[in-house]
Amino acid sequence: MEIRALLDRMDDDRFKQEAQEFASAQGITTFGQIVDLMATSEDGQVVRQACRVFSLLKAGDEIYVEALAHPHETVRREAASMFRGEHALLHARALLPVLADENFYVRREALWAFGTMGPDVLPLLQETRRTAKGAVRRAALAGIAEVAGPDAFSPEDRGVVERFIRTKIADEAYETDEMHLCGGWYALKTDDQAAVLGVCGLQDPTPVTKVLGAQAWNNDHHAWAKDDEHVDCARVYVTGAWDGWTLVFGEPFAHGTRSVPEICAVLSAVFGEAHYYGMSCGDGWTAWCIAEKGEVLRYYDAFKDEDQFGELEVEEGWGLPHDWSDENDDLEDIWATDVAKELSVDPTYFEGDVEGHGVLALTQCGRIHGSPKGFLQIVT
């Protein structure tokens, strides 16, 4: 297909000029030559520009569908990225094999494409689970999870997943995994997971690996949701007993009226000690709240420093992240993980003696509205 013809169809002058200048600079005249550049160029900048023009030109569905089977993963990945929403739904059958692509990034683009299709694609995915074989059949299960979450699994598939998880829980007993920390969690001084579930009002606990539990927390915290959707408050990840502490990741008390210090005070009256910690992966937010026997000893929030009270010995010799005064210039900032490491457990790495296993449990929102959608890894 001639690039000239594609340029004539473009209605955005800025993008049209960008594509035209790239084609001129590379001395190419056809769309196929752009594809060749993506697959063969050893210049990373040229490849990135070619990928952008590949999408800007909007060459047509039949061209991009054909590119889904290209020998080079870059071309397949960019082709899969061209399908979203109702447009993707029209080509769901063509995208099915891409869910099982050998390249992770190609698979991820296809998975994202399915995630935008909505529930109308579920019959196709469920049919694939019943009739396909090999990698495509396995990939269809990931597609179902991405589109509608575990609630859409058939009883047979739910059994398969649960058996696989239990096997991997046994395998990971002595593994150390790094956890991506973004959001808030509670640390309770107890090894009684059932008691934690009861006090926090959590039900329907499902065993999970450390990787799966952490991914669920991060998925729910970062997911885009409409105002009427209950994504970050539907389920929480509750760990096994870790050096005498049980950790609760997520929002078990969403929509309540109690503040974090009030919640910690109540929890500490039950368990003796209750801590809250918070970290962000996108800005400088961090927080901690330490309570013992119904009394809050310390509350700090880097974004609400006017509400802080109390102090901790562990903070001595450190600077507080919100304090930019001159006397703190030579001090290293203290973060929630530093406090947690000294006073409870730092979940950045799951290490030490962990008794039992973690569970995903539903809050009241989860019982009413269902589990959040999104494909989650069980193991790394």
Side-chain angles (χ1 to χ4, degrees):
M1 180 175 289
E2 294 291 328
I3 290 179
R4 184 188 301 275
L6 295 173
L7 290 172
D8 289 342
R9 299 189 324 200
M10 297 180 70
D11 54 11
D12 189 308
D13 290 339
R14 295 171 303 166
F15 293 158
K16 182 176 182 178
Q17 181 179 355
E18 180 181 345
Q20 191 169 19
E21 289 178 352
F22 175 77
S24 177
Q26 298 299 320
I28 57 179
T29 59
T30 67
F31 190 80
Q33 290 173 315
I34 293 177
V35 173
D36 291 341
L37 273 178
M38 293 166 61
T40 62
S41 176
E42 296 182 359
D43 186 325
Q45 180 63 22
V46 169
V47 172
R48 286 189 291 272
Q49 290 176 328
C51 289
R52 178 168 169 78
V53 174
F54 176 88
S55 62
L56 290 178
L57 288 174
K58 293 181 170 50
D61 288 0
E62 68 284 356
I63 299 295
Y64 294 121
V65 167
E66 181 180 353
L68 291 173
H70 194 277
H72 199 279
E73 63 269 15
T74 299
V75 179
R76 299 197 303 276
R77 183 194 70 212
E78 294 302 312
S81 74
M82 296 301 296
F83 298 96
R84 294 292 186 268
E86 293 183 3
H87 183 226
L89 182 60
L90 292 173
H91 300 281
R93 286 194 180 274
L95 284 161
L96 262 176
V98 193
L99 278 175
D101 196 276
E102 61 185 15
N103 181 272
F104 167 80
Y105 297 101
V106 179
R107 293 197 305 273
R108 186 174 66 178
E109 284 292 345
L111 196 63
W112 288 346
F114 274 89
T116 66
M117 294 180 194
D120 287 346
V121 78
L122 284 175
L124 172 63
L125 291 167
Q126 289 161 343
E127 174 196 350
T128 304
R129 283 294 298 167
R130 293 191 300 269
T131 62
K133 296 181 180 180
V136 173
R137 182 175 185 271
R138 293 191 296 271
L141 187 59
I144 293 171
E146 183 70 13
V147 172
D151 295 343
F153 289 169
S154 68
E156 293 78 13
D157 282 343
R158 189 171 291 109
V160 169
V161 172
E162 289 176 356
R163 289 191 294 274
F164 182 71
I165 288 173
R166 289 188 180 278
T167 299
K168 294 305 176 182
I169 286 174
D171 292 344
E172 73 174 6
Y174 300 100
E175 293 181 359
T176 299
D177 296 298
E178 183 174 1
M179 185 173 185
H180 178 74
L181 299 177
C182 188
W185 70 93
Y186 291 90
L188 307 177
K189 186 65 172 176
T190 181
D191 58 5
D192 190 341
Q193 187 187 72
V196 171
L197 295 172
V199 171
C200 293
L202 304 171
Q203 295 183 15
D204 302 327
T206 302
V208 293
T209 60
K210 301 170 187 175
V211 172
L212 177 53
Q215 282 225 342
W217 177 53
N218 276 287
N219 174 82
D220 300 350
H221 179 67
H222 291 98
W224 292 97
K226 299 177 182 177
D227 292 340
D228 60 345
E229 292 179 336
H230 296 259
V231 177
D232 62 351
C233 56
R235 63 186 174 192
V236 298
Y237 170 39
V238 183
T239 69
W242 186 4
D243 290 342
W245 293 84
T246 299
L247 276 54
V248 180
F249 292 91
E251 299 289 344
F253 309 107
H255 312 302
T257 58
R258 286 174 171 163
S259 65
V260 165
E262 291 173 320
I263 292 171
C264 284
V266 172
L267 292 174
S268 71
V270 177
F271 297 111
E273 287 188 55
H275 303 176
Y276 173 84
Y277 300 102
M279 292 286 289
S280 173
C281 66
D283 53 35
W285 177 71
T286 191
W288 52 90
C289 183
I290 309 300
E292 295 182 5
K293 298 178 181 178
E295 179 183 0
V296 180
L297 306 179
R298 172 62 161 149
Y299 175 61
Y300 174 78
D301 188 311
F303 287 0
K304 301 177 182 178
D305 58 282
E306 68 279 1
D307 295 336
Q308 68 171 304
F309 59 85
E311 56 184 359
L312 299 171
E313 288 187 12
V314 70
E315 298 172 8
E316 294 180 4
W318 297 79
L320 293 173
H322 80 279
D323 190 348
W324 289 20
S325 57
D326 292 342
E327 56 266 29
N328 287 328
D329 281 349
D330 296 330
L331 298 179
E332 186 176 348
D333 284 344
I334 189 171
W335 300 90
T337 47
D338 299 310
V339 179
K341 184 176 181 179
E342 294 297 324
L343 300 185
S344 55
V345 287
D346 174 8
T348 304
Y349 292 96
F350 279 87
E351 56 188 353
D353 295 328
V354 179
E355 299 177 9
H357 56 75
V359 297
L360 282 180
L362 297 181
T363 65
Q364 182 177 4
C365 291
R367 294 193 295 276
I368 295 173
H369 302 286
S371 298
K373 65 181 182 179
F375 168 72
L376 305 172
Q377 286 182 281
I378 295 174
V379 294
T380 53

